[in-house]
Amino acid sequence: MSKPTRPADLYLRFLNLTEALRGLPSLPELDPLEERILELIARAGQSQSRLCVRDVMARDELGAPATLHTRLKSMREKGWITLSDTEDSRRKQVELTQAALSYFDQLSGAMLKAAKGA
């Protein structure tokens, strides 16, 4: 395939590559809200910030706390996140699993591949 001629072509190629990643049987599927939550957790981890369940549920832009609680439970069951203890036994820190980190590695590879036009 030829190199993109417009900046939008690069982004659209990246989207196509990520769509192919989402179709892999080794990765449990996430709905759009779960993807947003996963990205929030990843950004917090990248900035060395602690993020607990209550912090996620307090994010109004993500929806109702009950909905978020259900999604966090689903993401745990799918193997995307884990909850670890904090100094306060009532609070659980949300962290990415190795599978989630591998997913972000694959997305990074797709971004590099799209940029190279390969």
Short mmCIF file of all heavy atoms in Angstrom, two decimals, residues 64-113:
data_model
loop_
_atom_site.label_atom_id
_atom_site.label_comp_id
_atom_site.label_asym_id
_atom_site.label_seq_id
_atom_site.Cartn_x
_atom_site.Cartn_y
_atom_site.Cartn_z
N ALA A 64 -23.22 6.78 35.06
CA ALA A 64 -23.68 6.57 36.43
C ALA A 64 -22.75 5.61 37.17
O ALA A 64 -22.21 4.68 36.57
CB ALA A 64 -25.10 6.00 36.41
N PRO A 65 -22.57 5.82 38.46
CA PRO A 65 -21.71 4.94 39.25
C PRO A 65 -22.09 3.45 39.14
O PRO A 65 -21.21 2.60 39.05
CB PRO A 65 -21.88 5.44 40.68
CG PRO A 65 -22.21 6.89 40.52
CD PRO A 65 -23.06 6.95 39.27
N ALA A 66 -23.36 3.15 39.11
CA ALA A 66 -23.78 1.75 39.01
C ALA A 66 -23.33 1.15 37.68
O ALA A 66 -22.88 -0.01 37.62
CB ALA A 66 -25.30 1.63 39.16
N THR A 67 -23.43 1.94 36.61
CA THR A 67 -22.99 1.47 35.30
C THR A 67 -21.48 1.23 35.31
O THR A 67 -21.00 0.21 34.80
CB THR A 67 -23.33 2.52 34.22
OG1 THR A 67 -24.74 2.71 34.20
CG2 THR A 67 -22.84 2.09 32.85
N LEU A 68 -20.75 2.16 35.90
CA LEU A 68 -19.29 2.02 35.95
C LEU A 68 -18.87 0.83 36.80
O LEU A 68 -17.94 0.10 36.45
CB LEU A 68 -18.66 3.30 36.49
CG LEU A 68 -18.83 4.50 35.56
CD1 LEU A 68 -18.35 5.77 36.23
CD2 LEU A 68 -18.09 4.27 34.26
N HIS A 69 -19.58 0.61 37.89
CA HIS A 69 -19.27 -0.55 38.74
C HIS A 69 -19.47 -1.84 37.95
O HIS A 69 -18.64 -2.76 38.02
CB HIS A 69 -20.15 -0.53 39.99
CG HIS A 69 -19.75 -1.56 40.99
ND1 HIS A 69 -20.26 -2.83 40.99
CD2 HIS A 69 -18.85 -1.51 42.00
CE1 HIS A 69 -19.71 -3.52 41.96
NE2 HIS A 69 -18.86 -2.74 42.59
N THR A 70 -20.55 -1.91 37.18
CA THR A 70 -20.82 -3.09 36.36
C THR A 70 -19.73 -3.29 35.32
O THR A 70 -19.26 -4.40 35.08
CB THR A 70 -22.20 -2.95 35.66
OG1 THR A 70 -23.20 -2.82 36.67
CG2 THR A 70 -22.50 -4.15 34.79
N ARG A 71 -19.28 -2.19 34.70
CA ARG A 71 -18.24 -2.29 33.68
C ARG A 71 -16.91 -2.71 34.29
O ARG A 71 -16.18 -3.52 33.72
CB ARG A 71 -18.06 -0.96 32.95
CG ARG A 71 -19.19 -0.58 32.03
CD ARG A 71 -19.50 -1.69 31.03
NE ARG A 71 -20.24 -1.26 29.88
CZ ARG A 71 -21.50 -0.85 29.86
NH1 ARG A 71 -22.18 -0.78 30.99
NH2 ARG A 71 -22.08 -0.50 28.74
N LEU A 72 -16.57 -2.18 35.46
CA LEU A 72 -15.34 -2.59 36.13
C LEU A 72 -15.36 -4.08 36.45
O LEU A 72 -14.36 -4.78 36.27
CB LEU A 72 -15.10 -1.76 37.39
CG LEU A 72 -14.72 -0.30 37.18
CD1 LEU A 72 -14.71 0.45 38.51
CD2 LEU A 72 -13.37 -0.18 36.48
N LYS A 73 -16.49 -4.55 36.91
CA LYS A 73 -16.63 -5.98 37.21
C LYS A 73 -16.45 -6.80 35.93
O LYS A 73 -15.73 -7.80 35.92
CB LYS A 73 -18.00 -6.25 37.82
CG LYS A 73 -18.22 -7.69 38.20
CD LYS A 73 -19.57 -7.89 38.84
CE LYS A 73 -19.77 -9.37 39.15
NZ LYS A 73 -21.10 -9.65 39.68
N SER A 74 -17.06 -6.37 34.85
CA SER A 74 -16.93 -7.05 33.56
C SER A 74 -15.48 -7.06 33.09
O SER A 74 -14.98 -8.09 32.62
CB SER A 74 -17.83 -6.36 32.53
OG SER A 74 -17.56 -6.83 31.23
N MET A 75 -14.81 -5.93 33.23
CA MET A 75 -13.41 -5.83 32.79
C MET A 75 -12.50 -6.73 33.62
O MET A 75 -11.53 -7.29 33.10
CB MET A 75 -12.96 -4.38 32.85
CG MET A 75 -13.67 -3.49 31.83
SD MET A 75 -13.33 -1.74 32.05
CE MET A 75 -11.63 -1.67 31.49
N ARG A 76 -12.80 -6.88 34.89
CA ARG A 76 -12.04 -7.82 35.73
C ARG A 76 -12.24 -9.24 35.25
O ARG A 76 -11.29 -10.01 35.14
CB ARG A 76 -12.49 -7.73 37.19
CG ARG A 76 -11.82 -6.65 37.96
CD ARG A 76 -12.21 -6.68 39.42
NE ARG A 76 -11.61 -7.85 40.08
CZ ARG A 76 -12.04 -8.36 41.20
NH1 ARG A 76 -13.10 -7.86 41.82
NH2 ARG A 76 -11.44 -9.38 41.76
N GLU A 77 -13.49 -9.59 34.97
CA GLU A 77 -13.81 -10.94 34.52
C GLU A 77 -13.18 -11.25 33.17
O GLU A 77 -12.80 -12.39 32.90
CB GLU A 77 -15.32 -11.14 34.46
CG GLU A 77 -15.97 -11.16 35.83
CD GLU A 77 -17.49 -11.08 35.80
OE1 GLU A 77 -18.07 -10.91 34.70
OE2 GLU A 77 -18.09 -11.18 36.88
N LYS A 78 -13.04 -10.25 32.32
CA LYS A 78 -12.42 -10.42 31.01
C LYS A 78 -10.90 -10.43 31.08
O LYS A 78 -10.24 -10.73 30.09
CB LYS A 78 -12.87 -9.30 30.06
CG LYS A 78 -14.34 -9.35 29.70
CD LYS A 78 -14.72 -8.15 28.84
CE LYS A 78 -16.18 -8.14 28.49
NZ LYS A 78 -16.54 -6.95 27.69
N GLY A 79 -10.35 -10.06 32.23
CA GLY A 79 -8.91 -10.09 32.41
C GLY A 79 -8.18 -8.82 32.02
O GLY A 79 -6.96 -8.84 31.85
N TRP A 80 -8.88 -7.70 31.89
CA TRP A 80 -8.26 -6.44 31.50
C TRP A 80 -7.70 -5.67 32.69
O TRP A 80 -6.71 -4.96 32.56
CB TRP A 80 -9.26 -5.54 30.78
CG TRP A 80 -9.61 -6.02 29.41
CD1 TRP A 80 -10.72 -6.73 29.06
CD2 TRP A 80 -8.86 -5.84 28.22
NE1 TRP A 80 -10.69 -7.00 27.72
CE2 TRP A 80 -9.57 -6.45 27.17
CE3 TRP A 80 -7.66 -5.21 27.93
CZ2 TRP A 80 -9.11 -6.46 25.86
CZ3 TRP A 80 -7.21 -5.22 26.62
CH2 TRP A 80 -7.92 -5.84 25.61
N ILE A 81 -8.36 -5.76 33.84
CA ILE A 81 -7.93 -5.01 35.02
C ILE A 81 -7.88 -5.92 36.23
O ILE A 81 -8.48 -7.00 36.25
CB ILE A 81 -8.85 -3.80 35.33
CG1 ILE A 81 -10.28 -4.27 35.63
CG2 ILE A 81 -8.81 -2.78 34.21
CD1 ILE A 81 -11.19 -3.18 36.18
N THR A 82 -7.17 -5.44 37.23
CA THR A 82 -7.12 -6.12 38.50
C THR A 82 -7.31 -5.07 39.60
O THR A 82 -7.03 -3.89 39.38
CB THR A 82 -5.79 -6.87 38.68
OG1 THR A 82 -5.82 -7.62 39.88
CG2 THR A 82 -4.61 -5.94 38.68
N LEU A 83 -7.79 -5.50 40.73
CA LEU A 83 -7.96 -4.61 41.87
C LEU A 83 -6.99 -5.05 42.95
O LEU A 83 -6.94 -6.22 43.31
CB LEU A 83 -9.39 -4.67 42.40
CG LEU A 83 -10.51 -4.31 41.42
CD1 LEU A 83 -11.87 -4.42 42.10
CD2 LEU A 83 -10.31 -2.93 40.84
N SER A 84 -6.21 -4.10 43.45
CA SER A 84 -5.25 -4.44 44.50
C SER A 84 -5.56 -3.64 45.76
O SER A 84 -6.16 -2.57 45.70
CB SER A 84 -3.83 -4.18 44.02
OG SER A 84 -3.67 -2.84 43.63
N ASP A 85 -5.15 -4.18 46.88
CA ASP A 85 -5.39 -3.55 48.17
C ASP A 85 -4.57 -2.28 48.31
O ASP A 85 -3.49 -2.14 47.74
CB ASP A 85 -5.05 -4.51 49.31
CG ASP A 85 -6.01 -5.68 49.39
OD1 ASP A 85 -7.20 -5.49 49.05
OD2 ASP A 85 -5.58 -6.77 49.79
N THR A 86 -5.11 -1.36 49.09
CA THR A 86 -4.39 -0.14 49.47
C THR A 86 -4.24 -0.15 50.99
O THR A 86 -4.65 -1.12 51.65
CB THR A 86 -5.16 1.12 49.02
OG1 THR A 86 -6.40 1.17 49.72
CG2 THR A 86 -5.41 1.12 47.52
N GLU A 87 -3.69 0.91 51.53
CA GLU A 87 -3.55 0.98 52.99
C GLU A 87 -4.92 1.01 53.69
O GLU A 87 -5.04 0.63 54.83
CB GLU A 87 -2.70 2.19 53.41
CG GLU A 87 -3.20 3.53 52.96
CD GLU A 87 -2.84 3.90 51.52
OE1 GLU A 87 -2.05 3.20 50.87
OE2 GLU A 87 -3.40 4.89 51.04
N ASP A 88 -5.94 1.46 52.97
CA ASP A 88 -7.32 1.45 53.48
C ASP A 88 -8.01 0.24 52.87
O ASP A 88 -8.24 0.19 51.66
CB ASP A 88 -8.03 2.74 53.06
CG ASP A 88 -9.45 2.83 53.58
OD1 ASP A 88 -10.00 1.81 54.06
OD2 ASP A 88 -10.04 3.93 53.49
N SER A 89 -8.35 -0.73 53.68
CA SER A 89 -8.91 -1.99 53.18
C SER A 89 -10.24 -1.81 52.46
O SER A 89 -10.68 -2.70 51.74
CB SER A 89 -9.06 -3.00 54.32
OG SER A 89 -9.97 -2.50 55.27
N ARG A 90 -10.87 -0.65 52.63
CA ARG A 90 -12.14 -0.40 51.93
C ARG A 90 -11.94 0.11 50.52
O ARG A 90 -12.87 0.18 49.74
CB ARG A 90 -12.97 0.63 52.72
CG ARG A 90 -13.39 0.13 54.10
CD ARG A 90 -13.96 1.27 54.90
NE ARG A 90 -12.90 2.27 55.11
CZ ARG A 90 -13.09 3.45 55.66
NH1 ARG A 90 -14.28 3.81 56.06
NH2 ARG A 90 -12.09 4.29 55.82
N ARG A 91 -10.71 0.49 50.18
CA ARG A 91 -10.40 1.05 48.86
C ARG A 91 -9.57 0.05 48.07
O ARG A 91 -8.64 -0.54 48.60
CB ARG A 91 -9.65 2.36 48.98
CG ARG A 91 -10.48 3.46 49.62
CD ARG A 91 -9.67 4.71 49.83
NE ARG A 91 -9.17 5.24 48.58
CZ ARG A 91 -9.62 6.36 48.01
NH1 ARG A 91 -10.54 7.06 48.61
NH2 ARG A 91 -9.11 6.77 46.87
N LYS A 92 -9.90 -0.08 46.81
CA LYS A 92 -9.16 -0.97 45.91
C LYS A 92 -8.58 -0.14 44.77
O LYS A 92 -9.29 0.65 44.14
CB LYS A 92 -10.06 -2.06 45.33
CG LYS A 92 -10.68 -2.97 46.36
CD LYS A 92 -9.65 -3.85 46.98
CE LYS A 92 -10.33 -4.81 47.96
NZ LYS A 92 -9.35 -5.59 48.68
N GLN A 93 -7.30 -0.31 44.52
CA GLN A 93 -6.65 0.38 43.42
C GLN A 93 -6.88 -0.41 42.13
O GLN A 93 -6.77 -1.62 42.10
CB GLN A 93 -5.16 0.52 43.70
CG GLN A 93 -4.44 1.32 42.65
CD GLN A 93 -3.02 1.65 43.06
OE1 GLN A 93 -2.70 1.66 44.24
NE2 GLN A 93 -2.18 1.89 42.09
N VAL A 94 -7.20 0.31 41.06
CA VAL A 94 -7.45 -0.30 39.76
C VAL A 94 -6.15 -0.27 38.96
O VAL A 94 -5.52 0.79 38.83
CB VAL A 94 -8.56 0.45 38.98
CG1 VAL A 94 -8.88 -0.26 37.69
CG2 VAL A 94 -9.80 0.61 39.84
N GLU A 95 -5.77 -1.43 38.43
CA GLU A 95 -4.53 -1.52 37.66
C GLU A 95 -4.77 -2.36 36.41
O GLU A 95 -5.66 -3.21 36.38
CB GLU A 95 -3.42 -2.15 38.50
CG GLU A 95 -3.07 -1.35 39.73
CD GLU A 95 -2.08 -2.05 40.64
OE1 GLU A 95 -1.96 -3.30 40.56
OE2 GLU A 95 -1.42 -1.37 41.42
N LEU A 96 -3.94 -2.14 35.41
CA LEU A 96 -4.00 -2.92 34.18
C LEU A 96 -3.35 -4.28 34.41
O LEU A 96 -2.37 -4.39 35.13
CB LEU A 96 -3.28 -2.21 33.04
CG LEU A 96 -3.83 -0.85 32.61
CD1 LEU A 96 -2.94 -0.27 31.52
CD2 LEU A 96 -5.26 -0.96 32.14
N THR A 97 -3.89 -5.29 33.75
CA THR A 97 -3.25 -6.61 33.77
C THR A 97 -2.17 -6.65 32.70
O THR A 97 -2.06 -5.74 31.87
CB THR A 97 -4.28 -7.71 33.48
OG1 THR A 97 -4.79 -7.51 32.16
CG2 THR A 97 -5.40 -7.73 34.51
N GLN A 98 -1.41 -7.71 32.69
CA GLN A 98 -0.40 -7.90 31.65
C GLN A 98 -1.06 -7.97 30.28
O GLN A 98 -0.52 -7.47 29.30
CB GLN A 98 0.44 -9.16 31.93
CG GLN A 98 1.65 -9.26 31.05
CD GLN A 98 2.58 -8.07 31.18
OE1 GLN A 98 2.91 -7.65 32.28
NE2 GLN A 98 3.01 -7.52 30.06
N ALA A 99 -2.24 -8.58 30.20
CA ALA A 99 -2.96 -8.66 28.92
C ALA A 99 -3.31 -7.27 28.41
O ALA A 99 -3.20 -6.99 27.21
CB ALA A 99 -4.23 -9.51 29.07
N ALA A 100 -3.72 -6.38 29.29
CA ALA A 100 -4.05 -5.01 28.89
C ALA A 100 -2.81 -4.27 28.43
O ALA A 100 -2.84 -3.54 27.44
CB ALA A 100 -4.72 -4.26 30.04
N LEU A 101 -1.70 -4.45 29.14
CA LEU A 101 -0.45 -3.81 28.73
C LEU A 101 -0.01 -4.33 27.36
O LEU A 101 0.46 -3.56 26.52
CB LEU A 101 0.63 -4.05 29.78
CG LEU A 101 0.40 -3.36 31.13
CD1 LEU A 101 1.40 -3.87 32.17
CD2 LEU A 101 0.46 -1.85 31.00
N SER A 102 -0.19 -5.61 27.11
CA SER A 102 0.14 -6.19 25.80
C SER A 102 -0.74 -5.59 24.71
O SER A 102 -0.28 -5.35 23.59
CB SER A 102 -0.03 -7.71 25.82
OG SER A 102 0.92 -8.29 26.67
N TYR A 103 -2.00 -5.35 25.04
CA TYR A 103 -2.93 -4.73 24.09
C TYR A 103 -2.42 -3.34 23.70
O TYR A 103 -2.40 -2.99 22.51
CB TYR A 103 -4.32 -4.66 24.71
CG TYR A 103 -5.33 -3.86 23.92
CD1 TYR A 103 -5.82 -4.34 22.71
CD2 TYR A 103 -5.80 -2.64 24.39
CE1 TYR A 103 -6.76 -3.62 21.99
CE2 TYR A 103 -6.74 -1.92 23.68
CZ TYR A 103 -7.22 -2.42 22.48
OH TYR A 103 -8.14 -1.70 21.76
N PHE A 104 -1.98 -2.56 24.68
CA PHE A 104 -1.45 -1.23 24.37
C PHE A 104 -0.16 -1.33 23.57
O PHE A 104 0.11 -0.49 22.71
CB PHE A 104 -1.27 -0.40 25.64
CG PHE A 104 -2.57 0.15 26.17
CD1 PHE A 104 -3.10 -0.30 27.36
CD2 PHE A 104 -3.27 1.11 25.46
CE1 PHE A 104 -4.30 0.20 27.84
CE2 PHE A 104 -4.48 1.62 25.92
CZ PHE A 104 -4.99 1.16 27.11
N ASP A 105 0.65 -2.36 23.83
CA ASP A 105 1.85 -2.59 23.01
C ASP A 105 1.45 -2.85 21.56
O ASP A 105 2.09 -2.34 20.63
CB ASP A 105 2.65 -3.78 23.54
CG ASP A 105 3.35 -3.50 24.86
OD1 ASP A 105 3.51 -2.32 25.22
OD2 ASP A 105 3.74 -4.49 25.52
N GLN A 106 0.40 -3.63 21.36
CA GLN A 106 -0.07 -3.93 20.01
C GLN A 106 -0.63 -2.68 19.33
O GLN A 106 -0.40 -2.46 18.13
CB GLN A 106 -1.13 -5.03 20.04
CG GLN A 106 -0.55 -6.38 20.41
CD GLN A 106 -1.61 -7.44 20.58
OE1 GLN A 106 -2.80 -7.16 20.71
NE2 GLN A 106 -1.18 -8.69 20.58
N LEU A 107 -1.33 -1.85 20.08
CA LEU A 107 -1.83 -0.59 19.52
C LEU A 107 -0.67 0.31 19.11
O LEU A 107 -0.71 0.95 18.06
CB LEU A 107 -2.72 0.14 20.52
CG LEU A 107 -4.12 -0.41 20.74
CD1 LEU A 107 -4.83 0.39 21.82
CD2 LEU A 107 -4.92 -0.43 19.47
N SER A 108 0.37 0.33 19.93
CA SER A 108 1.55 1.12 19.60
C SER A 108 2.19 0.61 18.32
O SER A 108 2.60 1.40 17.45
CB SER A 108 2.55 1.05 20.76
OG SER A 108 3.71 1.76 20.44
N GLY A 109 2.26 -0.71 18.18
CA GLY A 109 2.80 -1.29 16.95
C GLY A 109 1.97 -0.92 15.74
O GLY A 109 2.50 -0.65 14.66
N ALA A 110 0.64 -0.88 15.92
CA ALA A 110 -0.24 -0.50 14.81
C ALA A 110 -0.01 0.96 14.44
O ALA A 110 -0.04 1.31 13.25
CB ALA A 110 -1.71 -0.72 15.21
N MET A 111 0.24 1.80 15.43
CA MET A 111 0.49 3.21 15.15
C MET A 111 1.79 3.37 14.34
O MET A 111 1.84 4.11 13.36
CB MET A 111 0.59 3.99 16.46
CG MET A 111 0.73 5.49 16.28
SD MET A 111 0.89 6.37 17.84
CE MET A 111 -0.54 5.83 18.73
N LEU A 112 2.82 2.65 14.75
CA LEU A 112 4.10 2.71 14.03
C LEU A 112 3.95 2.17 12.61
O LEU A 112 4.50 2.74 11.66
CB LEU A 112 5.16 1.92 14.80
CG LEU A 112 5.59 2.52 16.13
CD1 LEU A 112 6.51 1.56 16.88
CD2 LEU A 112 6.24 3.88 15.94
N LYS A 113 3.21 1.09 12.47
CA LYS A 113 2.99 0.49 11.15
C LYS A 113 2.23 1.44 10.24
O LYS A 113 2.55 1.62 9.06
CB LYS A 113 2.23 -0.83 11.29
CG LYS A 113 2.12 -1.61 10.03
CD LYS A 113 1.49 -2.98 10.29
CE LYS A 113 1.39 -3.77 9.01
NZ LYS A 113 0.78 -5.09 9.25
#
